[in-house]
Amino acid sequence: MRARWPRLRSFRLRIALGSTLTALAAILLLYVMASYTIVQRRAAIIDHMLSAHLAGPGFQATPQALWPATDAQLNASFGGFAPPGIGPETYALLRVDDAGEGTRYRSPAWQRILGDAAPPSGPGLHTVEGAGQSWRIGSVTQGPVTIWVAVNRSLSDAQVRASLVRFAAAIGVLAVAMGALAWYLAGRAMRPVEHLTGVMVRLTASDLDQRVSAAEEDLEFAQMVSVFNGMLDRLQRSFLQAARFSGDAAHELKTPLTILQGELERSFARAGADPVLEQGLANMLDEVRRLDSIVRKLLLLARADAGQLAIPMCPLDLRPALDELAEDIGLLDDARPVRLELPDHIAVRGDAELLRQVLHNLVSNAIKYGQPGGWIALSARCKGGQWRIDVSNASDGIAPEHRHRLFDRFYRADQSHQRRVPGVGLGLSLARDIAVAHGGTLALADANPGQVRFRLTLPAA
Ligand SMILES: Nc1ncnc2c1ncn2[C@@H]1O[C@H](COP(=O)(O)OP(=O)(O)OP(=O)(O)O)[C@@H](O)[C@H]1O
Ligand SMILES: [Mg+2]
């Protein structure tokens, strides 16, 4: 089976790494080829110089007294191939032998490095080892006299190696700089995408009229932006259609329902002594009231969706509304202890009727879904310019799988509740929309066994 490489999730990192590694591979290939060529060339130059020295006519005719000076000159000219600052090293060695008279001249270090035995002679150059170094030796024979010149190849190699190491270090620094540059350029290339993402993040159902200007984007992204804008157009159109449809439908249903409710109430009043008819009318009236409440909530939700929930920002005090609700709890058949932790005034800005509806839904939920006979608490405190209004009740808690769906439209948590407890599942979703339209929030703050607490936050006036 083929081993799978872990996939890099970041596109920017992939681009930066990919381009850096490609450039680095090209530079390394160049480096290897250049190093090989330099080493080869260097060896050829040394061989060439050595052969040229030996072939020179003046060299073979050097008078005996001048051999030390020739030796020094050879050291000086081949010393240029050694790394700088190497100290008193021997770069070249000279030996002159006469078949009859024996050795005529030897560099002082010759014996220590290359020993006593005569080195190979004859045409061409040879490589020998001496004192742990590699020497290139050439010779010339004129009559009984043979002259050898040996050049230190190890010092030349050391010089090349030092240069290549410096070059490799420079490549390392270059790689880091290339990586940084590639990272920066990849980031710049991603900017239009980030811009688009920013617009998408800011996009909410009530703010679908945002568009990205294709003219400001790079040519490569302009088409993507115009496709995105086209998609937003279609989305906005269908969203408005849907919102208008449910708004219109709810609006059209309101009048006949009001008439029906009035007729039923009048019939109920006239039903007189017929208990069966009375019961039937009472049931119908209940259903019509339920329908009426659904239609009103749907109308408000449709307005909120279309961003038309016009909130007159009037200063108002929520304390009286909370007192009223607490009184209503006190009037229940099963007396429930009510705990109040409310300041004298809860000053906010907004629509009194809508905010009353939010609080009413929270309190009626606490009554409907709280433990029978269990406590209900209403508290409010102001922190950092925000009112935190908590409505809590004694409860066995809400199962975790329901918690995040409570604010969905028509969602009701406990299936068994749905039949016994009246309601349609629109209250919390509408309450949250109203809170948001007031610049606040509504959230489930606690749902563990013991208590359920909803928190409404509103900017303080
Ligand atoms: N205090 C609470 N304790 C436990 N569950 C709750 C509480 N408040 C709400 N819920 C759950 O959240 C669901 C949604 O509440 P929501 O107020 O939106 O709808 P509803 O009360 O069922 O109907 P209505 O539209 O009449 O308000 C409820 O059906 C209930 O299951
Ligand atoms: Mg409710």
Side-chain angles (χ1 to χ4, degrees), residues 162-242:
S163 304
L164 292 181
V165 165
R166 274 203 300 278
F167 195 37
I171 289 181
V173 174
L174 195 69
V176 173
M178 274 188 321
L181 185 69
W183 176 255
Y184 170 74
L185 289 178
R188 279 203 66 124
M190 298 293 296
R191 250 181 227 171
V193 178
E194 275 168 21
H195 182 198
L196 215 57
T197 313
V199 175
M200 287 183 194
V201 167
R202 283 198 303 278
L203 218 60
T204 59
S206 55
D207 191 19
L208 280 176
D209 48 2
Q210 282 202 45
R211 293 293 176 274
V212 186
S213 160
E216 284 170 21
E217 299 298 338
D218 296 335
L219 214 55
E220 291 80 358
F221 288 97
Q223 195 186 0
M224 186 173 99
V225 167
S226 63
V227 169
F228 174 68
N229 283 342
M231 194 187 74
L232 274 186
D233 283 342
R234 290 194 297 280
L235 193 66
Q236 189 181 25
R237 228 175 298 132
S238 60
F239 192 82
L240 282 180
Q241 255 169 13

Side-chain angles (χ1 to χ4, degrees), residues 297 360-366 368-369 412 422-429:
K297 284 175 186 164
H360 178 266
N361 181 57
L362 292 179
V363 170
S364 78
N365 281 356
K368 286 196 289 187
Y369 308 111
R412 307 197 71 204
V424 279
L426 286 176
L428 282 177
S429 113

Side-chain angles (χ1 to χ4, degrees), residues 395-403 406 413 444 446-449 452 454:
S395 164
D396 299 332
I398 301 175
E401 67 267 25
H402 294 308
R403 291 178 194 171
L406 293 189
L444 178 63
D446 190 358
N448 293 317
V452 164
F454 283 89

